[in-house]
Amino acid sequence: MPGSHLPLMEEGMARWPFGPPNAGIALDFTGVPPALDELRALVGDRWKALPRLTQTLVAPGGPRTGLAWWTGRHRWARRDGHDLGRQVDEADGTLRDAVRLWFHTPFPADRPPWSLHLLRGAAEGEFSLLFRMHHSLLDGRSLTTLLRALFDDGGPLDGAASLAVPGPRRRTVRPAPAAGGPPGLLTAGRAVPLPHRGAREPAYTVVRLRSDVLRAAREAASARTATTNEVFLATVAGVLRSCLSAAEAAPPVSAASAAVSDGGRTGDGDRTGDGDRARAKARERGREPGQVWLSVPVDERPDDCGEFLGNAFANVRVPAPVTLSDPAARLTACTGLLTPVTRPRRASEKLFESTLAAVPGATMALAGGKIFAPAYAPAACSYVHLREQGQTLAGRPLRRLTIVPMVPPADTATFALGGCTQGHTLSVATNSGSQDAELLAEAFLDELTLLADRTP
C-alpha cells in the first residue's frame, strides 16, 4: 500500500548490489507504429485506476551507518493526480540499445519507477513496446496483466482488484522428490563455471527459438508430452552440464600464464588462480560435491487474486539433472518439478519473513553472501507467456515477447523464456563476461536441438 514499508522480497530488490534492479518486457508488433499521443491516451484510459503506477520509491533517510543501516527500510509514497502519460515516450534505439542503458541507469527518485517506450523495430513495418520497471514495483505476472489491458480486446483494469493482496492462501510448488526434497534456505550446492569470456561486465542477448524444434523437444519425454517450462529447465540443465564438462577438461593455468594475462585473465577470458586450484583439487578427489540448483520464480497468486499488481512470487530452487548425459533423461528428471499447489500460508512463514524484514541491513549482510553465491543457484530460469490467440494493438498484430531480466549476481546467469502464440524467444543475461550471454544462448540452441533429436 502507498506509504507502507516494502515487504522482504521487494526490500531485497531495492538493495540489489549488482546494478539497478530494472527489468521488463518488450512486445514486438507488425505494422506502422501508433502515434505517441495515441499510445499515451490508451495508457491513460486502461491504467488510470491503478494506484501502484503512481507511487514513488523513497529510500531510508539518514546515513547508512549504525542503527539506520540495520533497520532502515524503503517505502512507497503516493503521488495523487500523477499523469501516467508522462511515463510514456518514444526512442530511436532498438531493444539492445535500450538494455545497454538499463544495466547502468536507475530511475529518477522523483517519479514512479516505470516507463513505457515506443521503439523502432529491426526492419521497416515493425515496432516494439518496451515496459521498463524497478522490480520492487512489479513482477512478471503484473506486467502481463498490464500489457494485456492495452490490447484491442482488453479494457480498463480494476483498481480494487489491483490492490487485492494475496491472503493466507498461496500458490507454490510441491517439494522436489529428487536430491532429498527442497534445499534449506541457506543450503549451498555446486557452482558452475561460466565461460568468462571478455571483459567482466553485465551482458544480454536474445535469440529466437524455432517452433518445430521446441515442439519436437516436448515430444522427447518418455511418459507424456512435456510442458514448455519442463523443456526449458531440462535444456538449461544441459547448458550447465556442458559448462561443467568444459571446465573439467580445461588444463590448469600456470602462475606464469596468469601473470602475463590481462587483469588476471587468460587469452580466452577464463579466470585464473583460486578457481583453477579448486577445480584441480576436485579432479583429484574424483568428484564435485553438491547438487546444482536452478532458481525459479513461482507466482503465488491464488485464482481470486490474479489481477493483483505488485510482487507476489517466491523463488524456489529445483535440482538441475546435470549428471545425466542423455537429454531425454534430463527432460524426464525435470517432469513435474513445478507442479503447482495452493495451500494456507503457515504462521511460521509469516513470522520469519516479518522478522527478517524488520532488520533488512542485517538480513542482507548475513544472507547475501550465501544467496547471491554461484553455489546457491548458478542459473535462474524465468518463463513469461501470453497464450491468447490473435493479440493486436490498434490493429497491429503481436509477433514476439521478449523478457529483459535484472542484472544477475556475479558469476551466474539468468535464462528468460518469453512466449506468445507466434513463438518463443530466449533472453540470457550474465554478469561474468561480455561474451558469456551469447555463448550460453548458442549452447541453449544446441542443447534444445539435441533434445528434439531424441524424439521417438
Side-chain angles (χ1 to χ4, degrees):
M1 293 178 59
S4 63
H5 288 117
L6 272 61
L8 180 61
M9 176 70 76
E10 295 178 4
E11 182 68 34
M13 289 186 288
R15 294 168 174 261
W16 194 247
F18 306 103
N22 301 336
I25 289 180
L27 299 180
D28 297 339
F29 295 90
T30 300
V32 177
L36 187 58
D37 287 344
E38 179 185 1
L39 183 59
R40 286 172 171 164
L42 182 64
V43 166
D45 175 61
R46 303 290 173 85
W47 298 351
K48 61 186 176 184
L50 306 178
R52 188 81 175 181
L53 298 185
T54 64
Q55 297 176 156
T56 58
L57 185 63
V58 180
R64 301 306 302 276
T65 58
L67 185 61
W69 184 85
W70 294 97
T71 61
R73 296 171 64 182
H74 292 73
R75 62 182 177 86
W76 294 114
R78 185 192 299 273
R79 292 198 63 179
D80 294 327
H82 180 74
D83 180 10
L84 298 183
R86 295 177 54 194
Q87 309 289 117
V88 183
D89 64 23
E90 189 173 16
D92 289 333
T94 63
L95 175 63
R96 292 179 184 274
D97 297 330
V99 171
R100 274 193 289 268
L101 296 176
W102 280 22
F103 282 132
H104 307 287
T105 308
F107 283 97
D110 60 347
R111 60 185 295 176
W114 67 271
S115 54
L116 184 66
H117 307 282
L118 179 62
L119 303 178
R120 60 178 169 83
E124 190 71 23
E126 298 176 354
F127 68 94
S128 299
L129 285 186
L130 177 60
F131 190 104
R132 175 191 177 209
M133 65 178 186
H134 189 295
H135 211 327
S136 291
L137 183 73
L138 302 166
D139 59 10
R141 175 69 179 272
S142 300
L143 278 186
T144 57
T145 297
L146 288 171
L147 295 172
R148 279 188 178 98
L150 297 181
F151 293 145
D152 292 341
D153 59 354
L157 292 174
D158 182 75
S162 74
L163 296 173
V165 179
R169 294 182 61 78
R170 299 291 180 92
R171 292 177 73 253
T172 183
V173 297
R174 292 196 180 104
L185 179 63
L186 298 180
T187 300
R190 180 181 180 185
V192 175
L194 299 183
H196 297 290
R197 299 284 182 87
R200 182 65 172 265
E201 62 186 19
Y204 171 78
T205 195
V206 177
V207 294
R208 296 188 65 179
L209 306 186
R210 284 177 47 186
S211 297
D212 58 330
V213 174
L214 182 58
R215 186 164 48 249
R218 293 184 60 194
E219 299 294 334
S222 58
R224 60 165 174 80
T225 299
T227 67
T228 299
N229 215 1
E230 290 166 349
V231 169
F232 180 36
L233 296 180
T235 306
V236 171
V239 173
L240 299 184
R241 176 182 169 83
S242 68
C243 290
L244 288 167
S245 298
E248 291 167 357
V253 179
S254 68
S257 298
V260 299
S261 66
D262 182 19
R265 295 182 180 275
T266 59
D268 67 356
D270 195 10
R271 295 181 304 168
T272 62
D274 292 343
D276 294 307
R277 287 191 290 273
R279 287 195 291 271
K281 289 180 180 179
R283 284 193 292 269
E284 291 173 4
R285 292 194 302 269
R287 66 180 182 88
E288 283 272 9
Q291 170 71 57
V292 173
W293 298 103
L294 299 176
S295 177
V296 184
V298 175
D299 180 26
E300 291 191 311
R301 293 167 176 81
D303 293 339
D304 58 349
C305 293
E307 293 187 10
F308 168 72
L309 298 182
N311 283 279
F313 73 96
N315 284 317
V316 301
R317 287 190 292 165
V318 298
V322 297
T323 60
L324 300 177
S325 60
D326 180 25
R330 291 197 292 270
L331 179 57
T332 299
C334 289
T335 300
L337 285 182
L338 296 178
T339 303
V341 296
T342 302
R343 63 167 177 80
R345 194 176 179 212
R346 300 184 184 97
S348 59
E349 294 172 325
K350 299 178 186 178
L351 177 61
F352 181 70
E353 181 175 328
S354 61
T355 300
L356 295 182
V359 284
T363 298
M364 293 292 288
L366 295 174
K370 285 276 190 179
I371 63 177
F372 295 141
Y376 189 80
C381 300
S382 180
Y383 180 29
V384 175
H385 54 261
L386 296 172
R387 290 195 179 96
E388 297 86 351
Q389 294 280 348
Q391 296 283 21
T392 58
L393 177 77
R396 289 89 163 174
L398 176 67
R399 295 189 304 120
R400 194 161 49 241
L401 182 155
T402 302
I403 303 173
V404 184
M406 290 196 303
V407 176
D411 299 326
T412 72
T414 297
F415 296 82
L417 189 63
C420 64
T421 56
Q422 299 302 309
H424 288 76
T425 64
L426 175 76
S427 304
V428 181
T430 61
N431 200 358
S432 54
S434 59
Q435 302 175 38
D436 281 12
E438 292 186 0
L439 291 171
L440 294 176
E442 292 171 2
F444 185 98
L445 296 178
D446 292 342
E447 293 292 335
L448 185 64
T449 301
L450 288 174
L451 181 57
D453 289 343
R454 295 298 195 277
T455 303

